[in-house]
Amino acid sequence: IRAWRRALDPNATFRLTLTQLRKFFHFEAGLRDRVDQAALWRSLDKDGLGEIGMEEIAPQHCSVLATFRQFMHERVGTCSAVWDHAIALDACVGQREGLWKSTRKLLLQPFLRVLRELGWPTNHAEARSALLASLDFFGCGFVSRSDLEWLDSWEPPKWIYSEPDLEALEELQALVSKKYSHPLLAWRSLFDRDDSNSVSWLEFCGACEKLRFKGNVGGAWRALDTDLSGRISLLEFDEDSALILMSFKAWCMKHFGSVELMFRHLDRDESGTLSFPEIRRACRRLKWNGDVHLLFNCLDTDGARAGGRRNISHQEIFFLDSWEVKEEEMRAHEETKIDHKKGEKGDSPTSPQREEILQLIPSKSEKYVGMPLMPPPKVDPYPLPPLKVSKSTPTLTEKQSRPKPKAKPPCKFLQRLLKESGAEGLLR
């Protein structure tokens, strides 16, 4: 947060654009040549909106700041009003008895005592250190009024200071199940329409508006975003749906090398589409044990028909090549999974397949035998003419065999100067 305030967003707009990021790297010569700025921006601006917020870079710290801001607004009106409170004034006068004589700045320990007396819980060590480090602009161990005014000017999104609301999540899931036959179909048709396996807060709010959900949107979001990453993946939205796609993609990679190669292999008539019988026949022949009918219905989001039959186009299935769930994310989800789902519904019906699916996903070091890893080289349409070497042009071996020229002796003025100064040894 201190880097955001001092370097990335010095004007306190709480938004960062690509131009501002490039301006930052312009003054950071040590990072400018080592960081791919375009790739960094693409990883940060996942929505493609052209700007990112502070909460997208440091969601954990922003959650502490937003909760503190909400608490102080409810307690004393604004965060800067803490500075005019009688407790803060007494703390400013009391610290003058020591070596610190300033009344415009509060040291961190007196500031913590002020917050404790106002009712802010200071027992959590991580939250306490995150708050103080974010407000300490110079990193010198003190907080001023301008730091609290900066926090007042920030309008955090609702999700970042909301508490997880399981009842709101159940209400939202009831609306989803009423409109869609399966959560995976709702995920692809409503929430994750760009097939990025990542839903932002704005996308989530837009989906809730379409569902006419009037409940606690922020609480439902926090119930899904258990790791407070600022994004929701399909694994967090519906674990069974994520396992279906993971299993199908692992099957494609095992037998064909990729989803694109599977599509081209099954599309014998080169129509650019796959019908349900074609996919079912291949899944039976190569023994994919998943629900083919459910998979086909969830992949066919547009419901287009060709020749009286529903078909899947390459646009509806090629996203799986870039869609992935890392093993670390899978393990972390298992550790932070909400307990109320297990208590009400029992273990997931696909839970015995988890270890099998993880084993099917190839590691980076594995290679597919017999599969083309890269396209064949293309013929250069504009080849360069052969280099003509004349007799006068020396070859590399001739250059290396030539004796090195002897070093020229220094000029007479330099020789006389060295002799007079007693440094004749340098002439050798």
Side-chain angles (χ1 to χ4, degrees), residues 244-266 274 279 282-283 286-288 295 299 317-318 320-321 360-362 368 371:
I244 291 173
L245 292 185
M246 290 170 62
S247 174
F248 181 72
K249 180 181 178 180
W251 174 80
C252 293
M253 295 176 70
K254 178 181 179 181
H255 295 284
F256 301 96
S258 68
V259 179
E260 182 179 357
L261 292 177
M262 181 276 299
F263 189 93
R264 293 179 178 178
H265 180 78
L266 299 183
L274 289 179
I279 297 180
C283 291
L286 298 177
K287 298 180 181 180
W288 183 63
L295 176 71
L299 292 178
I317 198 173
F318 278 8
L320 285 175
D321 276 333
L360 286 175
I361 299 176
Y368 300 99
M371 290 295 177

mmCIF file of all heavy atoms in Angstrom, residues 244-266 274 279 282-283 286-288 295 299 317-318 320-321 360-362 368 371:
data_model
loop_
_atom_site.group_PDB
_atom_site.id
_atom_site.type_symbol
_atom_site.label_atom_id
_atom_site.label_comp_id
_atom_site.label_asym_id
_atom_site.label_seq_id
_atom_site.Cartn_x
_atom_site.Cartn_y
_atom_site.Cartn_z
ATOM 1 N N ILE A 244 -15.692 -31.724 -13.536
ATOM 2 C CA ILE A 244 -16.124 -32.238 -14.841
ATOM 3 C C ILE A 244 -15.217 -31.716 -15.953
ATOM 4 O O ILE A 244 -14.721 -32.476 -16.788
ATOM 5 C CB ILE A 244 -17.589 -31.845 -15.109
ATOM 6 C CG1 ILE A 244 -18.529 -32.594 -14.164
ATOM 7 C CG2 ILE A 244 -17.973 -32.134 -16.559
ATOM 8 C CD1 ILE A 244 -19.966 -32.146 -14.256
ATOM 9 N N LEU A 245 -14.966 -30.408 -15.949
ATOM 10 C CA LEU A 245 -14.116 -29.832 -16.983
ATOM 11 C C LEU A 245 -12.672 -30.293 -16.839
ATOM 12 O O LEU A 245 -11.986 -30.535 -17.839
ATOM 13 C CB LEU A 245 -14.198 -28.305 -16.932
ATOM 14 C CG LEU A 245 -15.532 -27.688 -17.324
ATOM 15 C CD1 LEU A 245 -15.424 -26.169 -17.348
ATOM 16 C CD2 LEU A 245 -16.008 -28.186 -18.676
ATOM 17 N N MET A 246 -12.198 -30.384 -15.600
ATOM 18 C CA MET A 246 -10.833 -30.861 -15.389
ATOM 19 C C MET A 246 -10.662 -32.286 -15.890
ATOM 20 O O MET A 246 -9.651 -32.632 -16.511
ATOM 21 C CB MET A 246 -10.473 -30.772 -13.902
ATOM 22 C CG MET A 246 -10.314 -29.365 -13.367
ATOM 23 S SD MET A 246 -10.180 -29.345 -11.568
ATOM 24 C CE MET A 246 -8.682 -30.291 -11.338
ATOM 25 N N SER A 247 -11.658 -33.128 -15.622
ATOM 26 C CA SER A 247 -11.584 -34.521 -16.064
ATOM 27 C C SER A 247 -11.620 -34.617 -17.581
ATOM 28 O O SER A 247 -10.838 -35.369 -18.193
ATOM 29 C CB SER A 247 -12.738 -35.314 -15.451
ATOM 30 O OG SER A 247 -12.785 -36.623 -15.960
ATOM 31 N N PHE A 248 -12.504 -33.855 -18.226
ATOM 32 C CA PHE A 248 -12.602 -33.904 -19.688
ATOM 33 C C PHE A 248 -11.345 -33.356 -20.348
ATOM 34 O O PHE A 248 -10.853 -33.922 -21.339
ATOM 35 C CB PHE A 248 -13.832 -33.118 -20.145
ATOM 36 C CG PHE A 248 -14.044 -33.122 -21.629
ATOM 37 C CD1 PHE A 248 -14.465 -34.264 -22.285
ATOM 38 C CD2 PHE A 248 -13.803 -31.975 -22.375
ATOM 39 C CE1 PHE A 248 -14.645 -34.281 -23.663
ATOM 40 C CE2 PHE A 248 -13.989 -31.971 -23.752
ATOM 41 C CZ PHE A 248 -14.415 -33.129 -24.388
ATOM 42 N N LYS A 249 -10.798 -32.277 -19.798
ATOM 43 C CA LYS A 249 -9.572 -31.722 -20.383
ATOM 44 C C LYS A 249 -8.405 -32.684 -20.205
ATOM 45 O O LYS A 249 -7.588 -32.861 -21.123
ATOM 46 C CB LYS A 249 -9.250 -30.377 -19.736
ATOM 47 C CG LYS A 249 -7.986 -29.740 -20.306
ATOM 48 C CD LYS A 249 -7.664 -28.418 -19.652
ATOM 49 C CE LYS A 249 -6.369 -27.841 -20.222
ATOM 50 N NZ LYS A 249 -6.015 -26.549 -19.608
ATOM 51 N N ALA A 250 -8.306 -33.309 -19.029
ATOM 52 C CA ALA A 250 -7.236 -34.286 -18.811
ATOM 53 C C ALA A 250 -7.371 -35.467 -19.770
ATOM 54 O O ALA A 250 -6.370 -36.001 -20.262
ATOM 55 C CB ALA A 250 -7.266 -34.767 -17.355
ATOM 56 N N TRP A 251 -8.593 -35.882 -20.058
ATOM 57 C CA TRP A 251 -8.831 -36.968 -21.019
ATOM 58 C C TRP A 251 -8.386 -36.556 -22.420
ATOM 59 O O TRP A 251 -7.767 -37.341 -23.152
ATOM 60 C CB TRP A 251 -10.312 -37.327 -20.993
ATOM 61 C CG TRP A 251 -10.736 -38.322 -22.017
ATOM 62 C CD1 TRP A 251 -10.586 -39.677 -21.972
ATOM 63 C CD2 TRP A 251 -11.398 -38.034 -23.267
ATOM 64 N NE1 TRP A 251 -11.109 -40.259 -23.102
ATOM 65 C CE2 TRP A 251 -11.619 -39.270 -23.916
ATOM 66 C CE3 TRP A 251 -11.831 -36.861 -23.871
ATOM 67 C CZ2 TRP A 251 -12.252 -39.343 -25.148
ATOM 68 C CZ3 TRP A 251 -12.451 -36.930 -25.106
ATOM 69 C CH2 TRP A 251 -12.654 -38.161 -25.730
ATOM 70 N N CYS A 252 -8.708 -35.314 -22.810
ATOM 71 C CA CYS A 252 -8.297 -34.824 -24.134
ATOM 72 C C CYS A 252 -6.776 -34.751 -24.242
ATOM 73 O O CYS A 252 -6.191 -35.119 -25.273
ATOM 74 C CB CYS A 252 -8.905 -33.448 -24.395
ATOM 75 S SG CYS A 252 -10.700 -33.434 -24.569
ATOM 76 N N MET A 253 -6.138 -34.268 -23.198
ATOM 77 C CA MET A 253 -4.681 -34.133 -23.235
ATOM 78 C C MET A 253 -3.992 -35.501 -23.246
ATOM 79 O O MET A 253 -2.928 -35.652 -23.848
ATOM 80 C CB MET A 253 -4.214 -33.307 -22.037
ATOM 81 C CG MET A 253 -4.704 -31.868 -22.043
ATOM 82 S SD MET A 253 -4.232 -30.964 -20.556
ATOM 83 C CE MET A 253 -2.480 -30.822 -20.795
ATOM 84 N N LYS A 254 -4.587 -36.473 -22.590
ATOM 85 C CA LYS A 254 -3.980 -37.799 -22.533
ATOM 86 C C LYS A 254 -4.038 -38.512 -23.879
ATOM 87 O O LYS A 254 -3.073 -39.167 -24.291
ATOM 88 C CB LYS A 254 -4.685 -38.632 -21.457
ATOM 89 C CG LYS A 254 -4.156 -40.055 -21.335
ATOM 90 C CD LYS A 254 -4.907 -40.819 -20.264
ATOM 91 C CE LYS A 254 -4.408 -42.252 -20.148
ATOM 92 N NZ LYS A 254 -5.144 -43.020 -19.118
ATOM 93 N N HIS A 255 -5.158 -38.380 -24.594
ATOM 94 C CA HIS A 255 -5.362 -39.152 -25.817
ATOM 95 C C HIS A 255 -5.077 -38.357 -27.083
ATOM 96 O O HIS A 255 -4.824 -38.967 -28.137
ATOM 97 C CB HIS A 255 -6.797 -39.683 -25.871
ATOM 98 C CG HIS A 255 -7.114 -40.672 -24.792
ATOM 99 N ND1 HIS A 255 -6.677 -41.968 -24.814
ATOM 100 C CD2 HIS A 255 -7.829 -40.527 -23.640
ATOM 101 C CE1 HIS A 255 -7.114 -42.610 -23.735
ATOM 102 N NE2 HIS A 255 -7.816 -41.765 -23.017
ATOM 103 N N PHE A 256 -5.138 -37.017 -27.019
ATOM 104 C CA PHE A 256 -4.978 -36.228 -28.243
ATOM 105 C C PHE A 256 -3.884 -35.174 -28.123
ATOM 106 O O PHE A 256 -3.412 -34.688 -29.140
ATOM 107 C CB PHE A 256 -6.297 -35.542 -28.624
ATOM 108 C CG PHE A 256 -7.432 -36.497 -28.846
ATOM 109 C CD1 PHE A 256 -8.336 -36.772 -27.822
ATOM 110 C CD2 PHE A 256 -7.599 -37.128 -30.065
ATOM 111 C CE1 PHE A 256 -9.390 -37.654 -28.023
ATOM 112 C CE2 PHE A 256 -8.646 -38.012 -30.277
ATOM 113 C CZ PHE A 256 -9.535 -38.280 -29.247
ATOM 114 N N GLY A 257 -3.533 -34.778 -26.920
ATOM 115 C CA GLY A 257 -2.521 -33.749 -26.745
ATOM 116 C C GLY A 257 -3.090 -32.407 -26.379
ATOM 117 O O GLY A 257 -2.451 -31.636 -25.664
ATOM 118 N N SER A 258 -4.273 -32.070 -26.845
ATOM 119 C CA SER A 258 -4.942 -30.818 -26.511
ATOM 120 C C SER A 258 -6.404 -30.934 -26.926
ATOM 121 O O SER A 258 -6.801 -31.852 -27.654
ATOM 122 C CB SER A 258 -4.271 -29.620 -27.202
ATOM 123 O OG SER A 258 -4.470 -29.672 -28.605
ATOM 124 N N VAL A 259 -7.199 -29.981 -26.475
ATOM 125 C CA VAL A 259 -8.617 -29.963 -26.840
ATOM 126 C C VAL A 259 -8.777 -29.618 -28.309
ATOM 127 O O VAL A 259 -9.653 -30.150 -29.003
ATOM 128 C CB VAL A 259 -9.375 -28.957 -25.946
ATOM 129 C CG1 VAL A 259 -10.852 -28.905 -26.322
ATOM 130 C CG2 VAL A 259 -9.233 -29.332 -24.470
ATOM 131 N N GLU A 260 -7.924 -28.742 -28.829
ATOM 132 C CA GLU A 260 -8.005 -28.368 -30.243
ATOM 133 C C GLU A 260 -7.711 -29.566 -31.145
ATOM 134 O O GLU A 260 -8.394 -29.790 -32.152
ATOM 135 C CB GLU A 260 -7.037 -27.234 -30.529
ATOM 136 C CG GLU A 260 -7.077 -26.747 -31.972
ATOM 137 C CD GLU A 260 -6.123 -25.605 -32.218
ATOM 138 O OE1 GLU A 260 -5.468 -25.157 -31.249
ATOM 139 O OE2 GLU A 260 -6.038 -25.163 -33.380
ATOM 140 N N LEU A 261 -6.700 -30.346 -30.781
ATOM 141 C CA LEU A 261 -6.391 -31.526 -31.586
ATOM 142 C C LEU A 261 -7.495 -32.565 -31.492
ATOM 143 O O LEU A 261 -7.770 -33.278 -32.465
ATOM 144 C CB LEU A 261 -5.064 -32.120 -31.127
ATOM 145 C CG LEU A 261 -3.811 -31.277 -31.395
ATOM 146 C CD1 LEU A 261 -2.581 -31.954 -30.818
ATOM 147 C CD2 LEU A 261 -3.638 -31.022 -32.881
ATOM 148 N N MET A 262 -8.136 -32.673 -30.336
ATOM 149 C CA MET A 262 -9.273 -33.581 -30.198
ATOM 150 C C MET A 262 -10.408 -33.154 -31.113
ATOM 151 O O MET A 262 -11.030 -33.983 -31.795
ATOM 152 C CB MET A 262 -9.742 -33.584 -28.741
ATOM 153 C CG MET A 262 -10.920 -34.498 -28.420
ATOM 154 S SD MET A 262 -12.555 -33.779 -28.751
ATOM 155 C CE MET A 262 -12.547 -32.361 -27.662
ATOM 156 N N PHE A 263 -10.672 -31.849 -31.154
ATOM 157 C CA PHE A 263 -11.760 -31.336 -31.996
ATOM 158 C C PHE A 263 -11.466 -31.632 -33.466
ATOM 159 O O PHE A 263 -12.345 -32.076 -34.213
ATOM 160 C CB PHE A 263 -11.918 -29.839 -31.753
ATOM 161 C CG PHE A 263 -13.123 -29.241 -32.399
ATOM 162 C CD1 PHE A 263 -14.319 -29.125 -31.710
ATOM 163 C CD2 PHE A 263 -13.074 -28.779 -33.713
ATOM 164 C CE1 PHE A 263 -15.435 -28.571 -32.300
ATOM 165 C CE2 PHE A 263 -14.185 -28.217 -34.315
ATOM 166 C CZ PHE A 263 -15.379 -28.116 -33.612
ATOM 167 N N ARG A 264 -10.248 -31.410 -33.897
ATOM 168 C CA ARG A 264 -9.902 -31.633 -35.303
ATOM 169 C C ARG A 264 -9.932 -33.118 -35.653
ATOM 170 O O ARG A 264 -10.267 -33.493 -36.780
ATOM 171 C CB ARG A 264 -8.522 -31.053 -35.593
ATOM 172 C CG ARG A 264 -8.468 -29.529 -35.494
ATOM 173 C CD ARG A 264 -7.074 -29.012 -35.767
ATOM 174 N NE ARG A 264 -7.025 -27.557 -35.715
ATOM 175 C CZ ARG A 264 -5.914 -26.844 -35.875
ATOM 176 N NH1 ARG A 264 -4.761 -27.463 -36.108
ATOM 177 N NH2 ARG A 264 -5.944 -25.529 -35.795
ATOM 178 N N HIS A 265 -9.572 -33.962 -34.683
ATOM 179 C CA HIS A 265 -9.583 -35.393 -34.950
ATOM 180 C C HIS A 265 -11.006 -35.934 -35.078
ATOM 181 O O HIS A 265 -11.274 -36.784 -35.941
ATOM 182 C CB HIS A 265 -8.851 -36.127 -33.815
ATOM 183 C CG HIS A 265 -8.804 -37.604 -34.001
ATOM 184 N ND1 HIS A 265 -7.932 -38.220 -34.870
ATOM 185 C CD2 HIS A 265 -9.547 -38.604 -33.427
ATOM 186 C CE1 HIS A 265 -8.122 -39.527 -34.826
ATOM 187 N NE2 HIS A 265 -9.099 -39.790 -33.965
ATOM 188 N N LEU A 266 -11.921 -35.427 -34.256
ATOM 189 C CA LEU A 266 -13.302 -35.920 -34.303
ATOM 190 C C LEU A 266 -14.117 -35.267 -35.412
ATOM 191 O O LEU A 266 -15.110 -35.828 -35.863
ATOM 192 C CB LEU A 266 -13.990 -35.675 -32.955
ATOM 193 C CG LEU A 266 -13.373 -36.361 -31.733
ATOM 194 C CD1 LEU A 266 -14.202 -36.081 -30.489
ATOM 195 C CD2 LEU A 266 -13.250 -37.863 -31.965
ATOM 196 N N LEU A 274 -19.107 -30.150 -33.708
ATOM 197 C CA LEU A 274 -19.192 -31.530 -33.243
ATOM 198 C C LEU A 274 -20.592 -31.768 -32.709
ATOM 199 O O LEU A 274 -21.118 -30.966 -31.931
ATOM 200 C CB LEU A 274 -18.164 -31.806 -32.137
ATOM 201 C CG LEU A 274 -16.694 -31.861 -32.532
ATOM 202 C CD1 LEU A 274 -15.834 -32.130 -31.307
ATOM 203 C CD2 LEU A 274 -16.447 -32.914 -33.603
ATOM 204 N N ILE A 279 -19.215 -36.876 -30.087
ATOM 205 C CA ILE A 279 -18.500 -36.786 -28.807
ATOM 206 C C ILE A 279 -18.760 -38.029 -27.960
ATOM 207 O O ILE A 279 -17.842 -38.580 -27.336
ATOM 208 C CB ILE A 279 -18.920 -35.507 -28.068
ATOM 209 C CG1 ILE A 279 -18.512 -34.266 -28.872
ATOM 210 C CG2 ILE A 279 -18.308 -35.450 -26.680
ATOM 211 C CD1 ILE A 279 -18.884 -32.960 -28.225
ATOM 212 N N ALA A 282 -16.701 -41.028 -29.161
ATOM 213 C CA ALA A 282 -15.280 -40.947 -28.810
ATOM 214 C C ALA A 282 -15.065 -41.178 -27.317
ATOM 215 O O ALA A 282 -14.093 -41.837 -26.917
ATOM 216 C CB ALA A 282 -14.731 -39.584 -29.215
ATOM 217 N N CYS A 283 -15.964 -40.649 -26.489
ATOM 218 C CA CYS A 283 -15.815 -40.835 -25.040
ATOM 219 C C CYS A 283 -15.987 -42.304 -24.649
ATOM 220 O O CYS A 283 -15.293 -42.804 -23.754
ATOM 221 C CB CYS A 283 -16.829 -39.964 -24.302
ATOM 222 S SG CYS A 283 -16.504 -38.183 -24.422
ATOM 223 N N LEU A 286 -12.743 -44.271 -25.957
ATOM 224 C CA LEU A 286 -11.521 -43.997 -25.199
ATOM 225 C C LEU A 286 -11.764 -43.934 -23.693
ATOM 226 O O LEU A 286 -10.899 -43.478 -22.940
ATOM 227 C CB LEU A 286 -10.894 -42.683 -25.688
ATOM 228 C CG LEU A 286 -10.460 -42.694 -27.148
ATOM 229 C CD1 LEU A 286 -9.927 -41.345 -27.569
ATOM 230 C CD2 LEU A 286 -9.415 -43.774 -27.392
ATOM 231 N N LYS A 287 -12.967 -44.361 -23.278
ATOM 232 C CA LYS A 287 -13.279 -44.606 -21.871
ATOM 233 C C LYS A 287 -13.143 -43.358 -21.007
ATOM 234 O O LYS A 287 -12.353 -43.298 -20.063
ATOM 235 C CB LYS A 287 -12.373 -45.716 -21.319
ATOM 236 C CG LYS A 287 -12.566 -47.053 -22.019
ATOM 237 C CD LYS A 287 -11.665 -48.121 -21.446
ATOM 238 C CE LYS A 287 -11.863 -49.445 -22.182
ATOM 239 N NZ LYS A 287 -10.993 -50.516 -21.644
ATOM 240 N N TRP A 288 -13.916 -42.319 -21.340
ATOM 241 C CA TRP A 288 -14.101 -41.195 -20.411
ATOM 242 C C TRP A 288 -15.352 -41.489 -19.597
ATOM 243 O O TRP A 288 -16.440 -41.663 -20.152
ATOM 244 C CB TRP A 288 -14.253 -39.867 -21.148
ATOM 245 C CG TRP A 288 -14.359 -38.711 -20.188
ATOM 246 C CD1 TRP A 288 -13.420 -38.292 -19.306
ATOM 247 C CD2 TRP A 288 -15.481 -37.828 -20.030
ATOM 248 N NE1 TRP A 288 -13.875 -37.204 -18.599
ATOM 249 C CE2 TRP A 288 -15.135 -36.899 -19.026
ATOM 250 C CE3 TRP A 288 -16.733 -37.741 -20.640
ATOM 251 C CZ2 TRP A 288 -16.000 -35.900 -18.613
ATOM 252 C CZ3 TRP A 288 -17.592 -36.733 -20.233
ATOM 253 C CH2 TRP A 288 -17.234 -35.825 -19.234
ATOM 254 N N LEU A 295 -22.035 -32.685 -19.996
ATOM 255 C CA LEU A 295 -20.942 -31.897 -20.569
ATOM 256 C C LEU A 295 -21.370 -31.209 -21.852
ATOM 257 O O LEU A 295 -21.078 -30.025 -22.068
ATOM 258 C CB LEU A 295 -19.744 -32.809 -20.823
ATOM 259 C CG LEU A 295 -18.554 -32.164 -21.517
ATOM 260 C CD1 LEU A 295 -17.858 -31.196 -20.585
ATOM 261 C CD2 LEU A 295 -17.569 -33.224 -22.014
ATOM 262 N N LEU A 299 -21.490 -27.145 -22.472
ATOM 263 C CA LEU A 299 -20.613 -26.520 -23.460
ATOM 264 C C LEU A 299 -21.401 -25.817 -24.551
ATOM 265 O O LEU A 299 -20.956 -24.788 -25.082
ATOM 266 C CB LEU A 299 -19.694 -27.571 -24.080
ATOM 267 C CG LEU A 299 -18.626 -28.180 -23.171
ATOM 268 C CD1 LEU A 299 -17.832 -29.238 -23.915
ATOM 269 C CD2 LEU A 299 -17.686 -27.101 -22.642
ATOM 270 N N ILE A 317 -15.492 -24.593 -27.184
ATOM 271 C CA ILE A 317 -14.729 -25.645 -26.512
ATOM 272 C C ILE A 317 -13.232 -25.365 -26.479
ATOM 273 O O ILE A 317 -12.520 -25.904 -25.622
ATOM 274 C CB ILE A 317 -14.992 -27.002 -27.201
ATOM 275 C CG1 ILE A 317 -14.582 -28.166 -26.298
ATOM 276 C CG2 ILE A 317 -14.308 -27.076 -28.550
ATOM 277 C CD1 ILE A 317 -14.964 -29.526 -26.835
ATOM 278 N N PHE A 318 -12.745 -24.487 -27.344
ATOM 279 C CA PHE A 318 -11.313 -24.238 -27.387
ATOM 280 C C PHE A 318 -10.813 -23.518 -26.144
ATOM 281 O O PHE A 318 -9.606 -23.496 -25.882
ATOM 282 C CB PHE A 318 -10.937 -23.424 -28.635
ATOM 283 C CG PHE A 318 -10.807 -24.268 -29.876
ATOM 284 C CD1 PHE A 318 -11.177 -25.598 -29.868
ATOM 285 C CD2 PHE A 318 -10.328 -23.727 -31.053
ATOM 286 C CE1 PHE A 318 -11.077 -26.385 -30.998
ATOM 287 C CE2 PHE A 318 -10.222 -24.500 -32.195
ATOM 288 C CZ PHE A 318 -10.602 -25.833 -32.166
ATOM 289 N N LEU A 320 -10.934 -24.412 -23.255
ATOM 290 C CA LEU A 320 -10.397 -25.370 -22.283
ATOM 291 C C LEU A 320 -8.881 -25.517 -22.402
ATOM 292 O O LEU A 320 -8.230 -25.939 -21.445
ATOM 293 C CB LEU A 320 -11.055 -26.737 -22.477
ATOM 294 C CG LEU A 320 -12.493 -26.869 -21.970
ATOM 295 C CD1 LEU A 320 -13.050 -28.233 -22.328
ATOM 296 C CD2 LEU A 320 -12.549 -26.647 -20.471
ATOM 297 N N ASP A 321 -8.300 -25.194 -23.551
ATOM 298 C CA ASP A 321 -6.851 -25.286 -23.684
ATOM 299 C C ASP A 321 -6.145 -24.279 -22.786
ATOM 300 O O ASP A 321 -5.055 -24.553 -22.270
ATOM 301 C CB ASP A 321 -6.431 -25.068 -25.140
ATOM 302 C CG ASP A 321 -6.541 -26.353 -25.953
ATOM 303 O OD1 ASP A 321 -6.431 -27.439 -25.350
ATOM 304 O OD2 ASP A 321 -6.764 -26.271 -27.176
ATOM 305 N N LEU A 360 -4.097 -37.340 -13.729
ATOM 306 C CA LEU A 360 -4.208 -37.265 -15.189
ATOM 307 C C LEU A 360 -3.644 -35.979 -15.746
ATOM 308 O O LEU A 360 -3.248 -35.920 -16.911
ATOM 309 C CB LEU A 360 -5.684 -37.393 -15.606
ATOM 310 C CG LEU A 360 -6.301 -38.791 -15.509
ATOM 311 C CD1 LEU A 360 -7.778 -38.715 -15.833
ATOM 312 C CD2 LEU A 360 -5.597 -39.768 -16.420
ATOM 313 N N ILE A 361 -3.617 -34.909 -14.931
ATOM 314 C CA ILE A 361 -3.113 -33.631 -15.416
ATOM 315 C C ILE A 361 -1.609 -33.736 -15.559
ATOM 316 O O ILE A 361 -0.896 -33.992 -14.588
ATOM 317 C CB ILE A 361 -3.484 -32.500 -14.450
ATOM 318 C CG1 ILE A 361 -5.010 -32.395 -14.343
ATOM 319 C CG2 ILE A 361 -2.905 -31.175 -14.904
ATOM 320 C CD1 ILE A 361 -5.476 -31.376 -13.353
ATOM 321 N N PRO A 362 -1.050 -33.554 -16.739
ATOM 322 C CA PRO A 362 0.392 -33.732 -16.916
ATOM 323 C C PRO A 362 1.165 -32.577 -16.326
ATOM 324 O O PRO A 362 0.678 -31.448 -16.267
ATOM 325 C CB PRO A 362 0.554 -33.794 -18.451
ATOM 326 C CG PRO A 362 -0.592 -32.988 -18.969
ATOM 327 C CD PRO A 362 -1.730 -33.221 -17.997
ATOM 328 N N TYR A 368 4.193 -35.515 -24.767
ATOM 329 C CA TYR A 368 3.300 -36.474 -25.402
ATOM 330 C C TYR A 368 4.023 -37.135 -26.553
ATOM 331 O O TYR A 368 4.434 -36.480 -27.517
ATOM 332 C CB TYR A 368 2.024 -35.777 -25.888
ATOM 333 C CG TYR A 368 1.254 -35.135 -24.783
ATOM 334 C CD1 TYR A 368 1.376 -33.773 -24.543
ATOM 335 C CD2 TYR A 368 0.425 -35.886 -23.968
ATOM 336 C CE1 TYR A 368 0.672 -33.180 -23.510
ATOM 337 C CE2 TYR A 368 -0.282 -35.296 -22.940
ATOM 338 C CZ TYR A 368 -0.164 -33.946 -22.712
ATOM 339 O OH TYR A 368 -0.856 -33.364 -21.695
ATOM 340 N N MET A 371 2.954 -36.950 -30.577
ATOM 341 C CA MET A 371 2.156 -35.768 -30.875
ATOM 342 C C MET A 371 3.081 -34.646 -31.336
ATOM 343 O O MET A 371 4.161 -34.442 -30.762
ATOM 344 C CB MET A 371 1.380 -35.316 -29.633
ATOM 345 C CG MET A 371 0.267 -36.272 -29.236
ATOM 346 S SD MET A 371 -1.005 -36.316 -30.501
ATOM 347 C CE MET A 371 -2.105 -37.553 -29.825
#
